[in-house]
Amino acid sequence: MKKNLLLTLLLVFLVLMNGVLLFLFFSKPPRRSGPPHMFVVKELNFNTLQMEQYQVLDQKFEQGMRPLHHRRRQLKNEMFKMISEGNGSVKEIDSITDLIGDSEKERDLKVYYHFRAIYELCNPEQKKRFQRIVQDALQRGRKKGPGPPHGH
């Protein structure tokens, strides 16, 4: 009798959990299809010439960002490897985090100049739309909330 009760309770629990998972899965807001940069291009409604110029800009941007991502990943791996190896002085960690910070700064500058170049491709009406898109993105970024507490 206890075995049947336990199996019944387990079955009810699993059915409830499946229901919760289905609800969470289907209640997600729809995601935009395609990469974020295509959303911007679509919203700006670039003409053929603008699209060609944008593709050149985007290709150069991607080529410039790849080494930065790779370098940042290497630096972070090196830093966290020190944890498992039980070594790494404060000076070494500070040096690596400074290099990571420099890499982040370079990445942010590349992103800024890339968006500035996109803005320059736009006609006056597209520039207004571009400004709205950027403001909306900034607002969404603020809604995600603060990062982890300092010192943790």
Side-chain angles (χ1 to χ4, degrees), residues 19-80:
V20 168
L21 288 173
L22 286 172
F23 172 76
L24 290 174
F25 180 76
F26 287 113
S27 66
K28 287 183 183 177
R31 296 190 72 177
R32 291 187 178 110
S33 60
H37 64 94
M38 290 311 294
F39 167 75
V40 171
V41 169
K42 181 181 172 194
E43 287 295 310
L44 294 175
N45 196 23
F46 278 162
N47 64 34
T48 306
L49 178 61
Q50 288 172 316
M51 206 46 209
E52 289 171 6
Q53 292 170 329
Y54 171 79
Q55 287 171 344
V56 170
L57 282 175
D58 195 53
Q59 186 177 19
K60 285 181 183 176
F61 176 71
E62 287 297 321
Q63 288 172 349
M65 293 299 282
R66 239 179 258 125
L68 288 176
H69 290 304
H70 180 70
R71 178 71 176 139
R72 192 176 73 231
R73 193 173 326 121
Q74 281 180 321
L75 290 167
K76 287 185 178 187
N77 287 342
E78 186 178 325
M79 183 174 67
F80 287 105

Side-chain angles (χ1 to χ4, degrees), residues 10-23:
L10 185 60
L11 181 65
V12 168
F13 175 75
L14 290 173
V15 168
L16 286 172
M17 290 307 294
N18 280 334
V20 168
L21 288 173
L22 286 172
F23 172 76

Side-chain angles (χ1 to χ4, degrees), residues 3-15:
K3 216 177 207 181
N4 285 341
L5 179 61
L6 182 61
L7 287 174
T8 303
L9 288 174
L10 185 60
L11 181 65
V12 168
F13 175 75
L14 290 173
V15 168

Side-chain angles (χ1 to χ4, degrees), residues 48-127:
T48 306
L49 178 61
Q50 288 172 316
M51 206 46 209
E52 289 171 6
Q53 292 170 329
Y54 171 79
Q55 287 171 344
V56 170
L57 282 175
D58 195 53
Q59 186 177 19
K60 285 181 183 176
F61 176 71
E62 287 297 321
Q63 288 172 349
M65 293 299 282
R66 239 179 258 125
L68 288 176
H69 290 304
H70 180 70
R71 178 71 176 139
R72 192 176 73 231
R73 193 173 326 121
Q74 281 180 321
L75 290 167
K76 287 185 178 187
N77 287 342
E78 186 178 325
M79 183 174 67
F80 287 105
K81 186 178 172 186
M82 290 179 183
I83 293 171
S84 62
E85 292 177 351
N87 62 11
S89 67
V90 171
K91 187 176 179 179
E92 289 173 311
I93 300 299
D94 282 348
S95 176
I96 292 174
T97 56
D98 285 345
L99 291 171
I100 292 169
D102 292 344
S103 176
E104 289 291 317
K105 178 182 176 182
E106 190 175 348
R107 182 184 69 87
D108 288 346
L109 284 170
K110 282 187 182 293
V111 168
Y112 171 82
Y113 287 116
H114 178 64
F115 278 100
R116 185 68 198 177
I118 293 171
Y119 181 79
E120 293 302 322
L121 290 178
C122 297
N123 64 36
E125 184 58 40
Q126 290 169 329
K127 286 181 179 182

